[in-house]
């Protein structure tokens, strides 16, 4: 076994690898970029080396530099994590040439699976079932179209060198084929420097089911069950679970064996995942399945497999890479219970899942419970989610005796997540965990799209309990301010609780939800009698708190919730209750109500990213909705359109520039000016 390794990655996966190393007594070396100087992964490792700028190209993708650091630090091996250099065959080879062990498969296996087209040809020869389609070398548009006609519409175009859903185009009919092919090729060229595409039959109700495989250098190869990753948005996974529900034991065995054949066909070593797509029936039962691709690395969702197999897959990777045999052979691997993973992202589900960046002003997660509740994260409160990397904040993984228990536990765990500072998908995940198709395991990749009405519904429910929590937070605030007396003793004269020598004080508090000052909710509170009134209802009310958790009693009924005050703007209160996150404003009755600035002649960037193209020039007249600028942010292109009719006065950025959320992109001259 190694005694020191370098982790060529960042974020949660670097922290997760370091954890296993620490348990096994292996020293770890971290690398970091400018943006990550104080990152958690740096702290999680025994030593750390600076590599360069924040952009991955200037740091985490500098293979040669990382290899030199590994040698200088005395590391014997490099763990690439996922993403970055993990599926880079040249890097794997360079490690070997430098006398370092690459913790992953051989370069030749990565190459064999790197091209989706070549991989399919290989799989065809290894008797692994393929989605009907064309994956050959002939790329003439008319030829490809003839193939699509033959396969029958709808078809799916994929970039052969693709990943992360990039380049994929669904083609509904023959008439739209050529346009879709052009745009698929363009994106493939831009993202992967390779225009090659393949055509597949687009399945009606596809389920994404994948098999975890593992092989050692001695010729043993096993599979560690299956995972379902059908709950996706933009072809990216949101929820993953193991084992995959509603798949017969026969199909599971056939998939497992097909996956092992796939791995053997490329002389695989280490951890890998063979992804299949299966057709689902009305109830979601998996039928025919087909090979989709093989990911030659540890996968983001590996923890669910760890939970149900009781194994540490990073430990397996380390053992196998150092030449040991697999810790368990096929018939020794046992399945126990059910696990679900939810990916918590800094993104805005209500606004097309645009990534969100900023500082994590508060980050509270449920408590970890061994074998039951696990949190893999690479950030802590106070850290920044930057535009440079994947916007994942954490992975929340729960285990239950069966699927139903795991689903309930995940709901409870999600209700305990409190994040302030940027938009997240937490409430959206909570709704997913409650939607009927997910609960009944009627899964397919169209689940989110079909149920958007319910899933993306912004919750604006207002009730007396919500207001009571906000009131509790305000009252608590006033008590705290009053009792903060430096060296002086707390004095009753400093309390601002409205106590009066004679008489009763009734105070009014106004709260409004998510920027709706016109609809303030007025709460009246009487200090002496602890009576609260709202919307014609009068109740007895008391509270206590413990940090950000508040416990209220309303007419004898106790409730709990989290209320977090925004540190940079204390009139903003974040209410976390029953899995919902509402952002409230407190209106101080002593201040005049704050009126929003009128529609301004400025256009700001809705998210951080890179300017891909500018469709207008200074002096152009534009109408509402006209496309102005295309910004690429985390795996996706977004077109920013004109918010008003007007004339373009100034353009502050050029093609290729990096912009931050809130940066002023364009200044308009109003047309009537
Ligand atoms: P999987 O197929 O395992 O679910 P995804 O494709 O969803 O994986 O996520 C892997 C992607 O995450 C990589 O392709 C890369 O874009 C991104 N990534 C790479 N390294 C990191 C990291 N350290 N932290 C977060 N995201 C990363
Ligand atoms: P990537 O390299 O981007 O992960 P994949 O080939 O693994 O690309 O496909 C990503 C996702 O696209 C799958 O998980 C599935 O949801 C969807 N998909 C892929 N192929 C098909 C198909 N033939 N029919 C329907 N959906 C598909
Ligand atoms: Mg894939």
């Amino acid at each position: 076994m190694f005694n020191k390794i370098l982790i060529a990655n960042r974020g949660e996966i670097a922290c997760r690898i370091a954890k296993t190393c620490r348990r096994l007594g292996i020293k770890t070396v971290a690398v970091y970029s400018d943006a990550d100087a104080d990152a958690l992964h740096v702290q999680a490792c025994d030593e750390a080396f600076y590599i360069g700028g924040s952009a991955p190209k200037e740091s985490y993708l500098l293979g040669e530099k990382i290899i030199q650091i590994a040698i200088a630090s005395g590391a014997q091996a490099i763990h690439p994590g996922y993403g970055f250099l993990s599926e880079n065959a040249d890097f794997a080879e360079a490690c070997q040439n430098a006398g370092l062990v690459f913790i992953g498969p051989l370069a030749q296996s990565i190459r064999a699976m790197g091209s989706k087209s070549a991989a399919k040809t290989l799989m065809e020869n290894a008797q692994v079932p393929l989605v009907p389609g064309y994956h050959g070398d002939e790329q003439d548009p008319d030829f490809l179209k003839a193939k699509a006609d033959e396969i029958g519409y709808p078809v799916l175009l994929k970039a052969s060198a693709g990943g992360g859903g990039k380049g994929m185009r669904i083609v509904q009919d023959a008439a739209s084929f050529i346009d879709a092919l052009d745009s698929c090729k363009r994106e493939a060229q831009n993202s992967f420097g390779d225009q090659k595409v393949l055509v597949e039959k687009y399945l009606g109700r596809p389920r994404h089911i994948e098999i975890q495989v593992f092989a050692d250098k001695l010729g043993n190869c096993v599979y560690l069950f299956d995972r379902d990753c059908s709950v996706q948005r933009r072809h990216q996974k949101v929820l993953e679970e193991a084992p995959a529900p509603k798949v017969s034991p026969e199909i599971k065995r056939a998939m497992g064996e097909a996956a092992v054949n796939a791995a053997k066909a490329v002389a695989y070593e280490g951890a890998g995942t063979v992804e299949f797509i299966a057709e689902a029936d009305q109830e979601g039962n998996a039928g025919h399945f087909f090979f989709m691709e093989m990911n030659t690395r540890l996968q983001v969702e590996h923890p669910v497999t760890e939970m149900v197999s009781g194994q540490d897959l990073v430990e397996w990777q380390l053992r196998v890479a150092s030449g040991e045999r697999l810790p368990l052979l096929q018939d020794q691997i046992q399945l126990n219970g059910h696990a679900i993973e939810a990916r918590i992202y800094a993104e805005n589900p209500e606004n097309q899942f645009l990534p969100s960046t900023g500082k994590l002003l508060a980050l509270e997660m449920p408590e970890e419970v061994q074998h039951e509740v696990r949190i893999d994260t690479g950030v802590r409160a106070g850290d920044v989610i930057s535009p440079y990397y994947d916007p994942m904040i954490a992975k929340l993984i729960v285990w239950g005796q069966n699927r139903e228990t795991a689903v309930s536990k995940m709901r409870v765990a999600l209700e305990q997540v409190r994040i302030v500072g940027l938009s997240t998908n937490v409430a959206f995940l909570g709704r997913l965990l409650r939607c009927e198709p997910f609960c009944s395991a009627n899964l397919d990749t169209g689940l989110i799209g079909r149920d958007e009405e319910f899933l993306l519904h912004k919750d604006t429910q207002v009730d007396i309990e919500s207001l009571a929590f906000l009131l509790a937070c305000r009252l608590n605030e006033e008590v705290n301010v009053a009792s903060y007396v430096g060296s002086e003793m707390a004095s009753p004269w400093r309390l601002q609780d409205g106590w009066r020598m004679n008489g009763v004080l009734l105070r009014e508090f106004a709260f409004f939800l998510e920027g709706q000052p016109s609809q303030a909710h007025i709460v009246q509170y009487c200090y002496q009698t602890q009576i609260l009134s709202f919307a014609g209802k009068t109740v007895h009310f008391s509270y206590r708190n413990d940090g950000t958790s508040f416990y209220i009693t309303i007419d004898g009924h106790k409730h709990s919730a989290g209320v977090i005050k925004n540190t940079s703007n204390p009139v903003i209160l974040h209410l976390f209750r029953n899995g919902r996150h509402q952002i409230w404003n407190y209106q101080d009755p002593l201040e005049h109500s704050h009126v929003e600035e009128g529609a301004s002649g400025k256009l700001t960037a809705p998210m951080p990213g890179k300017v891909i193209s500018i469709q207008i020039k200074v002096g152009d007249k534009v109408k509402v909705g006209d496309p102005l600028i295309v910004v690429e942010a985390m795996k996706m292109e977004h077109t920013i359109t004109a918010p008003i009719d007007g004339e373009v006065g100034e353009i502050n950025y050029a093609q290729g520039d990096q912009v931050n959320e809130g940066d002023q992109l364009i200044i308009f001259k109003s047309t009537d000016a």
Side-chain angles (χ1 to χ4, degrees):
M1 181 53 88
F2 312 114
N3 44 48
K4 190 175 198 176
I5 70 162
L6 181 144
I7 302 171
N9 214 304
R10 62 175 305 281
E12 65 88 13
I13 192 64
C15 296
R16 189 260 163 273
I17 295 163
K19 200 175 266 176
T20 292
C21 290
R22 185 147 293 178
R23 187 170 60 72
L24 298 178
I26 300 169
K27 291 268 184 222
T28 49
V29 181
V31 288
Y32 65 92
S33 66
D34 283 326
D36 283 339
D38 297 313
L40 196 59
H41 80 273
V42 170
Q43 190 183 316
C45 292
D46 295 302
E47 51 187 308
F49 289 86
Y50 172 73
I51 27 177
S54 302
K57 259 190 241 156
E58 296 165 16
S59 49
Y60 299 106
L61 290 173
L62 293 177
E64 264 319 307
K65 191 159 188 179
I66 291 172
I67 287 175
Q68 278 157 23
I69 293 171
I71 294 170
S73 68
Q76 298 140 315
I78 297 186
H79 196 308
Y82 56 72
F84 299 134
L85 296 165
S86 63
E87 292 178 280
N88 183 321
D90 295 340
F91 178 70
E93 210 158 60
C95 287
Q96 202 177 4
N97 293 339
L100 295 163
V101 176
F102 174 78
I103 302 175
L106 294 171
Q108 70 201 57
S109 314
I110 301 178
R111 276 197 194 104
M113 288 297 182
S115 151
K116 287 189 205 284
S117 310
K120 289 182 100 173
T121 305
L122 256 169
M123 293 304 105
E124 208 163 24
N125 299 336
Q127 317 293 318
V128 178
L130 300 183
V131 186
Y134 176 76
H135 51 268
D137 289 331
E138 178 67 64
Q139 294 288 303
D140 175 63
D142 293 330
F143 173 84
L144 291 175
K145 180 165 174 302
K147 283 289 168 193
D149 294 344
E150 216 173 279
I151 296 162
Y153 295 91
V155 298
L156 185 62
L157 289 170
K158 287 185 188 175
S160 181
K166 279 216 161 148
M168 293 211 311
R169 295 288 182 281
I170 302 166
V171 192
Q172 294 296 352
D173 48 42
S176 42
F177 185 85
I178 295 293
D179 279 351
L181 178 65
D182 283 348
S183 89
C184 172
K185 280 188 170 170
R186 204 177 323 120
E187 198 166 316
Q189 180 66 40
N190 285 341
S191 308
F192 312 108
D194 182 352
Q195 295 209 348
K196 193 172 179 191
V197 303
L198 60 88
V199 192
E200 269 178 19
K201 172 92 197 143
Y202 185 68
L203 301 185
R205 281 206 63 190
R207 278 182 66 178
H208 176 121
I209 302 172
E210 57 183 38
I211 305 280
Q212 176 72 55
V213 293
F214 237 104
D216 62 22
K217 296 178 192 288
L218 310 166
N220 301 300
C221 183
V222 299
Y223 64 96
L224 290 105
F225 315 112
D226 38 83
R227 296 185 284 253
D228 186 287
C229 312
S230 301
V231 184
Q232 303 183 345
R233 51 139 185 77
R234 286 197 260 113
H235 302 298
Q236 294 292 302
K237 300 159 187 168
V238 178
L239 291 175
E240 299 107 337
E241 57 185 298
K246 295 195 179 170
V247 185
S248 70
E250 295 72 38
I251 293 182
K252 288 197 176 198
R253 178 148 353 98
M255 272 188 182
E257 283 164 9
V260 167
N261 284 344
K264 285 186 171 160
V266 294
Y268 204 74
E269 285 176 15
T273 296
V274 181
E275 297 188 333
F276 293 99
I277 190 159
E279 255 170 324
D281 69 9
Q282 283 293 314
E283 281 81 49
N285 300 296
H288 292 292
F289 67 89
F290 311 98
F291 170 83
M292 199 156 43
E293 63 165 345
M294 180 168 186
N295 292 322
T296 54
R297 54 172 158 94
L298 188 69
Q299 202 102 338
V300 174
E301 57 275 22
H302 76 278
V304 289
T305 298
E306 297 188 318
M307 291 288 237
V308 296
S309 64
Q311 301 300 313
D312 178 334
L313 297 189
V314 172
E315 177 177 348
W316 281 44
Q317 284 190 299
L318 294 164
R319 294 203 179 283
V320 163
S322 69
E324 292 180 30
R325 69 180 299 140
L326 285 175
L328 297 175
L329 293 179
Q330 195 65 59
D331 52 7
Q332 297 172 302
I333 304 170
Q334 287 190 358
L335 179 72
N336 179 24
H338 199 97
I340 304 177
E341 172 179 283
R343 298 191 189 191
I344 298 177
Y345 281 113
E347 65 181 13
N348 192 343
E350 288 91 11
N351 187 9
Q352 297 163 37
F353 295 96
L354 287 189
S356 169
T357 55
K359 193 171 180 163
L360 290 159
L361 300 175
L363 174 63
E364 296 182 16
M365 297 296 274
E367 208 161 322
E368 288 195 288
V369 180
Q370 253 228 308
H371 307 305
E372 292 191 30
V373 180
R374 165 172 167 183
I375 292 140
D376 282 16
T377 185
V379 289
R380 38 179 151 33
D383 284 354
V384 169
I385 300 291
S386 76
Y388 301 106
Y389 314 111
D390 192 280
M392 192 161 73
I393 300 171
K395 303 188 301 203
L396 178 56
I397 309 109
V398 301
W399 178 91
Q401 207 57 252
N402 51 39
R403 187 174 192 270
E404 205 186 340
T405 316
V407 171
S408 310
K409 278 188 169 172
M410 181 59 93
R411 282 187 203 136
V412 171
L414 281 168
E415 286 182 6
Q416 291 164 15
V417 177
R418 296 172 189 165
I419 299 172
V420 171
L422 29 73
S423 306
T424 76
N425 64 341
V426 175
F428 168 75
L429 290 169
R431 290 191 289 267
L432 262 178
L433 264 292
R434 283 174 181 81
C435 79
E436 199 283 323
F438 185 77
C439 295
S440 61
N442 193 354
L443 306 170
D444 76 298
T445 61
L447 187 148
I448 291 179
R450 262 195 310 276
D451 228 358
E452 270 183 358
E453 189 86 22
F454 167 72
L455 294 171
L456 300 182
H457 171 75
K458 190 132 203 165
D459 192 11
T460 49
Q461 187 194 323
V462 177
D463 53 24
I464 194 164
E465 290 82 13
S466 303
L467 290 158
F469 280 113
L470 300 170
L471 175 66
C473 181
R474 288 307 309 182
L475 295 176
N476 187 55
E477 192 65 19
E478 293 177 1
V479 171
N480 284 342
V481 169
S483 58
Y484 177 73
V485 288
S487 57
E488 269 179 66
M489 268 211 314
S491 150
W493 303 111
R494 287 178 169 272
L495 277 177
Q496 296 173 357
D497 63 357
W499 184 84
R500 294 283 151 91
M501 190 80 84
N502 311 298
V504 196
L505 178 77
L506 192 68
R507 244 180 95 187
E508 254 182 21
F509 295 81
F511 298 99
F512 53 92
L513 185 57
E514 325 232 325
Q516 296 275 345
S518 54
Q519 294 170 25
H521 300 278
I522 311 289
V523 180
Q524 290 185 329
Y525 178 65
C526 175
Y527 286 85
Q528 278 82 351
T529 54
Q530 297 198 316
I531 282 180
L532 165 121
S533 334
F534 167 66
K537 204 170 164 185
T538 298
V539 294
H540 275 274
F541 160 80
S542 64
Y543 80 91
R544 87 191 156 74
N545 79 302
D546 172 13
T548 59
S549 293
F550 281 78
Y551 307 90
I552 59 168
T553 308
I554 292 183
D555 285 346
H557 187 174
K558 292 183 187 288
H559 309 260
S560 65
V563 192
I564 301 182
K565 190 180 50 134
N566 194 325
T567 41
S568 56
N569 188 354
V571 299
I572 298 179
L573 302 176
H574 294 260
L575 175 65
F576 295 88
R577 184 167 163 243
N578 300 336
R580 293 191 292 251
H581 174 188
Q582 290 181 334
I583 303 172
W584 285 84
N585 278 58
Y586 167 68
Q587 198 171 304
D588 193 321
L590 303 178
E591 257 180 41
H592 281 294
S593 76
H594 175 80
V595 183
E596 285 263 324
E597 274 175 58
S600 68
K602 295 165 189 161
L603 179 68
T604 53
M607 75 273 165
K610 194 168 120 187
V611 177
I612 296 289
S613 72
I614 298 180
Q615 331 274 72
I616 33 102
K617 50 189 190 314
V618 171
D620 279 359
K621 298 232 173 22
V622 295
K623 290 231 166 309
V624 172
D626 285 353
L628 304 178
I629 289 190
V630 181
V631 174
E632 187 195 58
M634 291 135 171
K635 301 184 178 177
M636 219 183 141
E637 285 179 13
H638 309 279
T639 303
I640 297 171
T641 57
I644 52 169
D645 291 350
E647 184 184 321
V648 178
E650 283 172 46
I651 303 174
N652 294 335
Y653 290 88
Q655 193 173 329
D657 285 353
Q658 191 79 31
V659 294
N660 281 316
E661 190 170 354
D663 280 352
Q664 254 173 50
L665 300 174
I666 290 174
I667 298 178
F668 293 101
K669 278 193 227 154
S670 137
T671 31
D672 48 29

